[in-house]
Amino acid sequence: MTYSDADLRAASETAIHQCLDLQSDESLVVVTDDKREVIGEALYEVASEVTDDASIIRYPPGNQHGEEPPAPVAAAMASADAFLAPTTKSLSHTRARGAACDAGARGATLPGITEEVFVTGLDADYDAIYRHSKEMLEAVGEADEVRVTTEKGTDITFVRGDREWLADTGYIANEGSFSNLPAGEIFLSPESATGTYVVDGTMMPHGLLDDDQELRFEVEDGYVTHISDDDIREQVETAADEVGRDAYNLAEIGIGTNVGVTNLVGSVLLDEKAAGTVHIAIGDDAGIGGDTDAPLHLDGIIREPTVYADGEEVELPQP
């Protein structure tokens, strides 16, 4: 489906005005690549109407989610008041993004964004997303252990340790704040995890899985020990050639809180936000409260999970 300039503009206005609350005396950089230029230009156009200090920087798409961008891109992000990064490969869990926020920049990454996801995902009630996210933080935030089960075989327990659950609500008006867009999740980089999880929703490089397709992962003491899928196993093995065991790090558990996402569409960016789902990631967690640097961050979305916080079942938001 082709989207009009008006559709792209409306989504861009939500990002610039509602989420960023960009001001006329602030600088903003849009970071994009050759495959996402249309979305980058739409954001830049709206930002340019707010401030004279807006810029856009484009570079070739990266090879892997979590791969560091070129040094000039990292420098531009760190020197701006705000940034938006619609890119093919995710910058969310990069040192460049973390350094930019540490320097006081606020912003959002839009990894793997398509026009469909941009237009659909930014047409959201961010007040409702904020409310559901805070409710979920209250339900699981202080639990020592969170357990996730499904009828398809998931049974995995996460140990919080001294880590903190974080919320991605789309509100990025405060200095140093960060979000994905589209938004709507709470997430934790656990100190450890053990068990089995079965992805039956969305996971790259496959996208939206077929009804009878399942990806099985075994986890022990915070590391993935078995991957059933050849393509995903190859990605992790390639990363392990560079960083060793850290590539197998169990990096994240996330709970979707966006009740506006009624169906999975095959985009990790959007599907991991779907209310009533859980996602679990392998690899880098340095940008979300962990201490593992790895050149990948692979999320897998799990449908219809049951979540327990210290043994008590938690009611998840539903679309």
Side-chain angles (χ1 to χ4, degrees), residues 20-207:
L20 268 182
D21 191 23
L22 186 67
Q23 301 298 306
S24 61
D25 60 347
E26 292 185 307
S27 60
L28 176 133
V29 61
V30 176
V31 175
T32 190
D33 60 43
D34 300 339
K35 293 184 178 180
R36 304 293 186 248
E37 185 179 6
V38 170
I39 294 171
E41 290 287 354
L43 288 164
Y44 170 72
E45 181 177 340
V46 173
S48 297
E49 296 171 0
V50 176
T51 175
D52 293 333
D53 197 358
S55 58
I56 184 168
I57 185 169
R58 187 184 74 182
Y59 68 103
N63 296 313
Q64 178 62 269
H65 293 294
E67 180 181 329
E68 293 297 323
V73 174
M77 293 171 67
S79 63
D81 292 314
F83 64 86
L84 291 169
T87 55
T88 303
K89 300 298 183 181
S90 177
L91 298 183
S92 301
H93 305 282
T94 60
R95 291 183 294 278
R97 197 282 303 166
C101 290
D102 289 344
R106 68 187 194 278
T109 55
L110 297 81
I113 192 79
T114 64
E115 292 184 31
E116 176 188 14
V117 172
F118 185 57
V119 171
T120 302
L122 270 294
D123 181 18
D125 181 350
Y126 281 93
D127 289 336
I129 290 170
Y130 182 87
R131 183 174 66 255
H132 287 299
S133 298
K134 293 303 180 184
E135 289 172 354
M136 290 308 305
L137 282 177
E138 292 175 2
V140 305
E142 297 302 319
D144 293 324
E145 294 186 346
V146 170
R147 180 186 177 203
V148 179
T149 66
T150 68
E151 293 184 357
K152 293 189 176 181
T154 293
D155 193 343
I156 183 169
T157 298
F158 303 86
V159 177
R160 177 170 62 90
D162 62 359
R163 309 282 177 83
E164 291 187 13
W165 283 85
L166 303 173
D168 175 24
T169 65
Y171 182 77
I172 42 178
N174 295 327
E175 181 177 310
S177 59
F178 169 70
S179 178
N180 267 161
L181 289 178
E185 65 169 302
I186 67 167
F187 55 94
L188 170 75
S189 172
E191 186 173 275
S192 187
T194 296
T196 301
Y197 69 99
V198 180
V199 175
D200 60 348
T202 297
M203 190 167 188
M204 299 306 292
H206 302 291

